Amino acid sequence: MLTWEFPPQIVGGLSRHVYGLAKELVFFNWEIHVVTAKKNKESSYENVEGIHVWRVAPLNDGDNDFLQWVAGLNLAMAEKAFSLAENNHFSLVHAHDWLVGAAALCVKKFLQIPLIATIHATEHGRNNGIYTELQRFIHEKERTLADQSDHVIVCSNFMKKEITNVFRTAENKISVIANGVEKGNRFFRKEVPFPAFPIDENRKMIFSLGRMVAEKGFDILIEAARRMGEMRTDVYFIIAGNGPLLNDYKQKVQALSLQNTVYFIGFIDDYMRIKLLEKCYMAVFPSRYEPFGIAALEAMIAAKPVIAANVGGLKEIIRHGRTGLLMEPDNPDSFIEQAVFLLKHREVAARMGELGKKYVENFFSWRKAAESTDKVYRRFAR
């Protein structure tokens, strides 16, 4: 498996996906070698729950040009894969997104083994089209990976439709395998004192998390908080995550004098995420584009009522009025309507959280995802 992020490095949902899937594939008797990027003082090799994790530094580590950094990472990944192949027989290579596509295609060609690619999102989908040279570059890398893979895996029916429309990939070349979710704090750190986040026991917390990028829709929550104004002084928002728009959102909160209502707290680890989910009244995911929505599953497994935008993979995992509520995308008033309903009907909100938890436990596990992936692997493995 090739992936640019793997725990403890977490940028988005991809890291959790690869970890959750890989450890369960070990259960199905696959010997999994993950090659990923090395940062800071991480070990170059470790065995994580039966997964062989190899971390490599890009040949031009520290390059501020992201595409050059990616190119250097792919060269280092391919070199590591060829080195590992001297003492191991690999049955196939599994690439996660375009960032590792060049290395994956080299491994496929020179080791003469099949290539499976999981496409977690597309540049076209993230931007609702292709408008810049950078977007076109990434788009073409994604297309090449889809075209030259022996099989493509996506996480939702929404993504299958997107791949067939955007890349003209044949439907019989694509498998839909839903993501799973971790039940608790599986890795990273032991129990420690809860950090000094702005917890207010006298108000109800509305929690959200994700990458600070436009498609996640966090600006919608800022506007919703402004419109709620004096109507609901009993709620406040904590929004976690890192990304290029974090400072912009913080500045907007200040400009609207919402600093006592909306808190952007930056990156949090799994322990903090679980603790904040324990303390929140509800969770919201207002995405404009969402191929799946692992964060929504994490909130549901914590038995919290969830409000999610009626887009992409989110509308495939939320049963409106039963396991959660769906809001109109890009519509602050729609969120307010759903949130006020949950605030007014505490028993309904609690029941919705419990039903959501049972639904996720029954249908979204990494064991189920690995079982389906195992079947794909066995079709192509050599």
Side-chain angles (χ1 to χ4, degrees), residues 54 118 149 157 211 254 261 299 322 325 337 351 381:
W54 305 89
T118 295
S149 295
N157 289 307
R211 281 268 291 158
Q254 289 285 338
T261 304
R322 184 168 173 80
L325 294 175
E337 179 183 355
R351 185 167 65 251

Side-chain angles (χ1 to χ4, degrees), residues 23 140 206 266:
K23 69 181 178 60
E140 291 305 323
I206 300 174

Side-chain angles (χ1 to χ4, degrees), residues 230-352:
E230 298 297 323
M231 178 178 68
R232 300 297 311 205
T233 59
D234 60 335
V235 300
Y236 67 110
F237 296 77
I238 288 187
I239 304 170
N242 211 342
L245 293 181
L246 179 58
N247 287 333
D248 290 348
Y249 291 153
K250 286 182 175 181
Q251 290 171 10
K252 188 170 185 179
V253 167
Q254 289 285 338
L256 294 173
S257 299
L258 294 171
Q259 57 266 37
N260 294 320
T261 304
V262 182
Y263 302 91
F264 282 90
I265 61 174
F267 175 80
I268 59 172
D269 65 17
D270 274 22
Y271 174 78
M272 298 181 199
R273 170 180 56 81
I274 291 165
K275 288 299 182 182
L276 286 169
L277 282 170
E278 287 176 357
K279 290 179 176 292
C280 77
Y281 182 85
M282 71 179 82
V284 56
F285 304 95
S287 302
R288 296 181 173 94
Y289 171 75
E290 191 65 72
F292 184 77
I294 287 180
L297 291 188
E298 291 171 341
M300 293 168 75
I301 204 76
K304 297 298 178 177
V306 168
I307 299 173
N310 189 22
V311 298
L314 286 171
K315 63 184 179 182
E316 295 180 31
I317 63 178
I318 298 290
R319 300 293 178 262
H320 183 68
R322 184 168 173 80
T323 61
L325 294 175
L326 292 169
M327 58 176 274
E328 294 178 13
D330 222 351
N331 188 334
D333 290 328
S334 179
F335 162 72
I336 293 171
E337 179 183 355
Q338 312 302 326
V340 169
F341 174 82
L342 291 176
L343 290 165
K344 286 183 176 180
H345 301 89
R346 191 177 186 92
E347 291 184 1
V348 175
R351 185 167 65 251
M352 198 174 289

